[in-house]
């Protein structure tokens, strides 16, 4: 069922606040999907989802290969019969304040602060679609 990514139902937002590992799907340069397990935070107020990662990862390379317009990506989480997917355009953010904000959001959702990493970046996804059954 489709929902507005900036105005989710209470149950949809609540599901995204629970501890769940997710998948991130990015397009490889040849167009095939690259799917990996990640932690995701959802920020409907700003219409964003965020993934913190190492700047040398394949997922970052895939987003960068898409060029300045960004890469079309999806993040998804599943728990038994509940599921939620967020889709949008991903860009890599390296600004210290954006990385720190993303780390703080990750720590809040997942209950632990990641160890410092000078190579950490944020995959910031400008949301265009949300769907699921939560």
């Amino acid at each position: 069922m489709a929902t507005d990514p900036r105005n989710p139902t209470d149950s949809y937002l609540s599901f995204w606040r629970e501890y769940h590992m997710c998948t991130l799907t990015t397009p490889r340069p040849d167009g095939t999907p690259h799917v990996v397990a990640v932690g995701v935070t959802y920020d409907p107020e700003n219409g964003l989802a965020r993934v913190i990662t190492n700047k040398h990862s394949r997922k970052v390379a895939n987003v960068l290969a898409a060029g300045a317009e960004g890469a079309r990506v999806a993040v998804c989480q599943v728990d038994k019969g509940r599921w939620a997917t967020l889709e949008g355009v991903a860009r890599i953010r390296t600004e210290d304040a954006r990385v720190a904000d993303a780390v703080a959001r990750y720590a809040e959702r997942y209950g632990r602060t990641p160890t410092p990493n000078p190579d950490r970046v944020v995959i910031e996804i400008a949301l265009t679609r949300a769907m699921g059954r939560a």
Side-chain angles (χ1 to χ4, degrees), residues 3 7-18 42 82 134:
T3 190
N7 190 27
T9 64
D10 289 342
S11 63
Y12 192 83
L13 184 56
S14 177
F15 186 44
W16 276 103
R17 299 290 188 246
E18 296 172 11
Y42 175 32
R82 299 183 306 158

Side-chain angles (χ1 to χ4, degrees), residues 24-102:
L24 167 67
T25 303
T26 59
R28 291 184 181 103
D30 69 1
T32 59
H34 177 253
V35 183
V36 294
V38 294
V40 176
T41 60
Y42 175 32
D43 175 6
E45 295 81 18
N46 291 299
L48 297 172
R50 296 175 182 87
V51 176
I52 58 174
T53 190
N54 189 295
K55 69 182 179 183
H56 301 293
S57 68
R58 168 52 42 202
K59 54 192 164 288
V60 168
N62 289 344
V63 172
L64 292 173
E69 68 278 359
R72 301 281 312 164
V73 304
V75 291
C76 182
Q77 65 181 23
V78 177
D79 179 46
K80 299 179 184 166
R82 299 183 306 158
W83 63 276
T85 298
L86 299 168
E87 297 178 9
V89 177
R91 291 183 176 81
I92 305 305
R93 304 306 299 249
T94 60
E95 303 91 336
D96 291 343
R98 293 234 188 210
V99 173
D101 179 57

Side-chain angles (χ1 to χ4, degrees), residues 107-118:
E108 182 179 333
R109 181 173 189 198
Y110 292 101
R112 70 172 192 84
T113 301
T115 58
N117 178 354

